[in-house]
Amino acid sequence: MNFNSALLTISNTELYLHKDASIISKKAKIISEKLGIIDEELYSGHSTMTNYIYVNSSIDKMVNVLVTYDVLYFLDDFFGEDTNTGELPDVREILDIWRGDKLHNSKNKKIKKLYTSINYISKTLRKDSPTFFFNKYTNSVIEHLSASLIEKKYKTVDEYISIRLMTGGMYLLIDLIEYVHSIYLSEELINDENIYIKKLCKQCALIGALSNDIFSYAKEKHSDYNLINAYLVSHEASNYNQAVIKAIDKVNEIHSDFKLTIKKVNTESLKSNDKLIVEKYINALKVIVASSYHWQKSTNRYYHSENVFEDMKANT
């Protein structure tokens, strides 16, 4: 059975790309090279991501965010739950550095580079955003690190999806909507039952993380931490083809729910400024959902001779 990426309904979304993408990429690469977190074999595959997920935002903030993602990808590429091959960084030391509480060193060259990079980007974000936002983002960093560096077992696909929601790093990406657009959400807006911010963020996060499982399956087929394999491990699918179909259907189901949730959003009771913030935030979520297809389809990171999708085997 052959599968095409157009089976994902996110393929029907509009393609967004920052108008200053080239400038942003060049400036960020200079910084990341100095930090030593560029692996030439891996870097070109993920460095374009930022310009697909945020648009209409300042170059300086985009550069800071791209370097942040370079740090996170460095962490994932060398220390993730299915990629690490040796010594791991200490989560407590990472958090000390991130908060600015204490600097740490390591004899391991890759860990040392990671620590130096975390120190750089956390200082940059602390200086360039409100304290309450940095604290909120720090909580997301803690949750992501705790989930990513600690192996968790699952028995059902639903349990796997709950784990993937936290290991996928999508909340880190979503939180930065506020930073790049300078639209900081109050607790009242986040918890307002009429505008569904929390629900939309969760749906957006799941679309990004689970679609990534499908796009990257060829490189992750050895790991239980992939949606397709979750269907096989849990015996909720009896063979590979059925698992792929169920995985695609699951992403499409969440995408459908996301669009339905947006239709329910009611901002009539909001002040004009809050209404503009919410509208801009939700539009930014739409861009991220679109990037879950368009960036993953465009980057060379996921093209592979054994890719699930026939149309992503051509460039190998």
Side-chain angles (χ1 to χ4, degrees):
M1 184 178 293
N2 292 335
F3 302 99
N4 188 289
S5 67
L7 291 170
L8 290 167
T9 57
I10 53 175
S11 66
N12 298 319
T13 56
E14 182 178 347
L15 188 159
Y16 300 93
L17 184 63
H18 199 290
K19 62 182 178 62
D20 295 311
S22 179
I23 296 170
I24 293 162
S25 296
K26 286 177 183 177
K27 288 190 172 188
K29 187 173 184 180
I30 291 170
I31 296 170
S32 293
E33 280 180 333
K34 286 181 180 178
L35 292 170
I37 54 172
I38 290 181
D39 183 291
E40 289 300 336
E41 290 185 12
L42 300 171
Y43 183 76
S44 62
H46 66 66
S47 63
T48 55
M49 181 185 75
T50 308
N51 292 312
Y52 280 81
I53 58 179
Y54 309 112
V55 293
N56 304 320
S57 44
S58 74
I59 291 175
D60 288 346
K61 285 197 169 185
M62 288 291 290
V63 169
N64 292 341
V65 169
L66 204 164
V67 176
T68 300
Y69 291 138
D70 286 348
V71 176
L72 293 173
Y73 266 106
F74 186 77
L75 173 68
D76 185 59
D77 285 338
F78 295 103
F79 306 108
E81 75 274 350
D82 63 345
T83 57
N84 73 80
T85 56
E87 186 181 355
L88 290 174
D90 189 301
V91 175
R92 290 167 299 180
E93 291 181 351
I94 288 176
L95 293 176
D96 282 346
I97 298 167
W98 176 264
R99 293 192 188 102
D101 295 338
K102 184 179 179 183
L103 293 177
H104 291 279
N105 208 336
S106 174
K107 293 180 180 179
N108 182 297
K109 289 183 179 179
K110 281 190 169 63
I111 294 176
K112 184 177 180 179
K113 288 177 181 178
L114 177 67
Y115 286 177
T116 300
S117 303
I118 289 170
N119 181 51
Y120 169 83
I121 200 58
S122 67
K123 273 186 177 180
T124 302
L125 292 180
R126 279 202 304 273
K127 288 178 182 177
D128 198 29
S129 64
T131 300
F132 75 86
F133 170 78
F134 185 80
N135 291 339
K136 172 185 174 180
Y137 194 63
T138 296
N139 289 334
S140 292
V141 170
I142 292 170
E143 289 178 351
H144 177 68
L145 289 175
S146 299
S148 297
L149 297 176
I150 300 171
E151 185 176 353
K152 291 184 179 180
K153 300 293 184 182
Y154 65 87
K155 292 183 179 179
T156 67
V157 171
D158 283 345
E159 287 177 2
Y160 167 76
I161 289 173
S162 295
I163 294 169
R164 190 70 173 106
L165 181 64
M166 302 315 301
T167 63
M170 288 296 297
Y171 278 125
L172 294 174
L173 186 154
I174 291 168
D175 281 350
L176 286 174
I177 288 173
E178 297 178 60
Y179 171 74
V180 296
H181 294 296
S182 299
I183 48 168
Y184 299 102
L185 300 178
S186 65
E187 285 298 317
E188 288 76 18
L189 287 178
I190 292 169
N191 294 315
D192 192 316
E193 294 181 359
N194 293 315
I195 57 177
Y196 300 94
I197 292 293
K198 287 183 177 179
K199 189 171 186 179
L200 286 169
C201 288
K202 180 178 180 179
Q203 290 166 341
C204 177
L206 287 174
I207 290 166
L210 299 180
S211 65
N212 176 258
D213 278 4
I214 304 172
F215 280 109
S216 59
Y217 180 74
K219 295 180 180 180
E220 297 177 357
K221 60 183 181 180
H222 64 283
S223 172
D224 287 349
Y225 288 91
N226 184 284
L227 181 61
I228 293 171
N229 280 342
Y231 278 106
L232 296 171
V233 169
S234 65
H235 304 293
E236 293 179 42
S238 57
N239 56 60
Y240 167 78
N241 283 339
Q242 189 179 67
V244 172
I245 291 168
K246 284 179 174 285
I248 291 171
D249 286 347
K250 175 57 71 175
V251 174
N252 288 347
E253 174 192 324
I254 299 168
H255 184 216
S256 177
D257 290 343
F258 176 79
K259 290 185 288 185
L260 288 172
T261 305
I262 286 176
K263 288 182 179 179
K264 294 178 183 177
V265 173
N266 183 355
T267 60
E268 291 305 311
S269 62
L270 299 179
K271 297 175 184 176
S272 58
N273 188 53
D274 284 345
K275 188 174 182 179
L276 288 173
I277 288 173
V278 169
E279 288 174 352
K280 194 165 188 177
Y281 190 86
I282 290 175
N283 283 333
L285 288 175
K286 290 179 184 178
V287 172
I288 292 175
V289 167
S291 74
S292 297
Y293 179 79
H294 295 293
W295 174 69
Q296 294 192 119
K297 184 73 190 294
S298 68
T299 177
N300 60 15
R301 185 178 176 88
Y302 304 115
Y303 280 82
H304 193 282
S305 59
E306 297 179 50
N307 194 287
V308 168
F309 298 125
E310 291 296 317
D311 55 314
M312 296 189 68
K313 294 179 179 179
N315 288 8
T316 57

